[in-house]
Amino acid sequence: SIAESLQVVRYKEGEEYTAHHDFVYPSQRHRYQPTRFATLLFYLNDNFEGGHTVFPRAVNNNNHAGVKIKPKKGTAVLFYSVLEDGNVDALSQHASEPIESGEKV
Protein backbone atom coordinates (compact mmCIF):
# COMPACT_ATOMS: atom_id res chain seq x y z
CA SER A 1 0.00 0.00 0.00
CA ILE A 2 1.14 3.54 -0.62
CA ALA A 3 -0.93 5.00 2.21
CA GLU A 4 0.06 5.10 5.84
CA SER A 5 -2.20 4.05 8.67
CA LEU A 6 -4.37 6.67 10.29
CA GLN A 7 -2.72 8.27 13.32
CA VAL A 8 -4.63 9.82 16.21
CA VAL A 9 -2.60 12.17 18.38
CA ARG A 10 -3.68 13.47 21.79
CA TYR A 11 -1.98 16.45 23.40
CA LYS A 12 -2.42 17.12 27.11
CA GLU A 13 -1.74 20.39 28.88
CA GLY A 14 1.85 21.51 28.26
CA GLU A 15 2.43 19.05 25.41
CA GLU A 16 3.43 20.15 21.92
CA TYR A 17 4.95 18.88 18.70
CA THR A 18 8.05 20.80 17.69
CA ALA A 19 8.64 22.01 14.13
CA HIS A 20 9.30 19.18 11.69
CA HIS A 21 8.72 18.00 8.13
CA ASP A 22 6.61 15.00 7.17
CA PHE A 23 8.80 13.97 4.25
CA VAL A 24 11.82 11.72 4.60
CA TYR A 25 14.92 11.39 2.50
CA PRO A 26 15.14 7.77 1.33
CA SER A 27 18.43 5.97 1.76
CA GLN A 28 20.70 5.51 -1.24
CA ARG A 29 19.84 1.80 -1.25
CA HIS A 30 16.11 2.60 -1.55
CA ARG A 31 16.19 5.88 -3.43
CA TYR A 32 12.89 5.20 -5.17
CA GLN A 33 11.09 4.60 -1.89
CA PRO A 34 8.09 6.92 -1.78
CA THR A 35 7.86 9.64 0.83
CA ARG A 36 4.79 11.20 2.42
CA PHE A 37 3.70 13.76 -0.17
CA ALA A 38 0.61 15.12 1.59
CA THR A 39 -0.78 15.35 5.11
CA LEU A 40 -4.38 15.88 6.19
CA LEU A 41 -4.91 17.05 9.78
CA PHE A 42 -8.44 16.64 11.16
CA TYR A 43 -9.39 18.59 14.28
CA LEU A 44 -11.66 16.48 16.49
CA ASN A 45 -12.24 19.02 19.26
CA ASP A 46 -11.65 22.67 20.09
CA ASN A 47 -12.36 22.92 23.83
CA PHE A 48 -8.76 23.80 24.74
CA GLU A 49 -6.48 26.83 24.81
CA GLY A 50 -3.29 27.06 22.75
CA GLY A 51 -2.38 24.19 20.44
CA HIS A 52 -2.35 26.20 17.21
CA THR A 53 -0.93 24.48 14.16
CA VAL A 54 1.88 26.66 12.84
CA PHE A 55 3.81 26.68 9.59
CA PRO A 56 6.79 28.89 10.55
CA ARG A 57 8.33 29.03 7.05
CA ALA A 58 5.10 29.42 5.08
CA VAL A 59 4.23 32.60 3.22
CA ASN A 60 1.01 33.83 1.64
CA ASN A 61 -0.40 37.08 0.25
CA ASN A 62 -1.05 38.48 3.73
CA ASN A 63 1.83 37.18 5.78
CA HIS A 64 5.51 36.50 5.23
CA ALA A 65 6.32 35.38 8.75
CA GLY A 66 4.58 32.02 8.86
CA VAL A 67 0.98 30.88 9.10
CA LYS A 68 -0.87 30.05 12.33
CA ILE A 69 -4.11 28.02 12.35
CA LYS A 70 -6.49 27.87 15.31
CA PRO A 71 -7.92 24.34 15.45
CA LYS A 72 -11.71 24.20 15.11
CA LYS A 73 -13.71 21.01 15.62
CA GLY A 74 -14.82 19.44 12.33
CA THR A 75 -12.28 21.25 10.15
CA ALA A 76 -9.12 19.98 8.51
CA VAL A 77 -5.86 21.25 7.03
CA LEU A 78 -4.36 19.69 3.91
CA PHE A 79 -0.77 20.46 2.94
CA TYR A 80 1.78 19.01 0.59
CA SER A 81 5.35 18.09 1.54
CA VAL A 82 6.50 17.44 -2.02
CA LEU A 83 6.46 19.88 -4.94
CA GLU A 84 5.06 19.08 -8.38
CA ASP A 85 8.57 18.38 -9.69
CA GLY A 86 9.16 15.72 -6.99
CA ASN A 87 11.44 17.81 -4.78
CA VAL A 88 10.58 18.18 -1.11
CA ASP A 89 9.08 21.46 0.09
CA ALA A 90 11.02 23.00 2.98
CA LEU A 91 8.14 25.46 3.52
CA SER A 92 5.93 22.56 4.69
CA GLN A 93 7.64 22.56 8.09
CA HIS A 94 4.95 22.62 10.78
CA ALA A 95 4.39 22.28 14.52
CA SER A 96 1.69 22.16 17.17
CA GLU A 97 2.08 24.84 19.81
CA PRO A 98 1.83 23.82 23.48
CA ILE A 99 -1.60 23.21 24.99
CA GLU A 100 -2.24 25.88 27.61
CA SER A 101 -5.31 24.22 29.11
CA GLY A 102 -7.54 21.30 28.23
CA GLU A 103 -6.73 18.50 25.81
CA LYS A 104 -6.38 18.49 22.00
CA VAL A 105 -7.38 15.47 19.92
Side-chain angles (χ1 to χ4, degrees), residues 30-101:
H30 300 100
R31 64 184 179 160
Y32 298 111
Q33 172 185 340
T35 188
R36 185 185 303 172
F37 68 91
T39 299
L40 182 61
L41 302 174
F42 289 102
Y43 298 114
L44 303 179
N45 71 330
D46 55 14
N47 55 341
F48 56 88
E49 295 296 322
H52 290 81
T53 299
V54 294
F55 293 83
R57 297 179 180 203
V59 295
N60 63 26
N61 291 339
N62 301 318
N63 193 343
H64 298 283
V67 173
K68 182 184 263 191
I69 300 164
K70 180 173 177 57
K72 184 177 177 188
K73 181 180 179 178
T75 64
V77 173
L78 171 66
F79 63 93
Y80 294 90
S81 298
V82 177
L83 301 169
E84 290 180 27
D85 65 4
N87 287 305
V88 295
D89 186 357
L91 300 180
S92 68
Q93 183 184 46
H94 58 287
S96 178
E97 291 183 331
I99 302 299
E100 296 168 10
S101 66

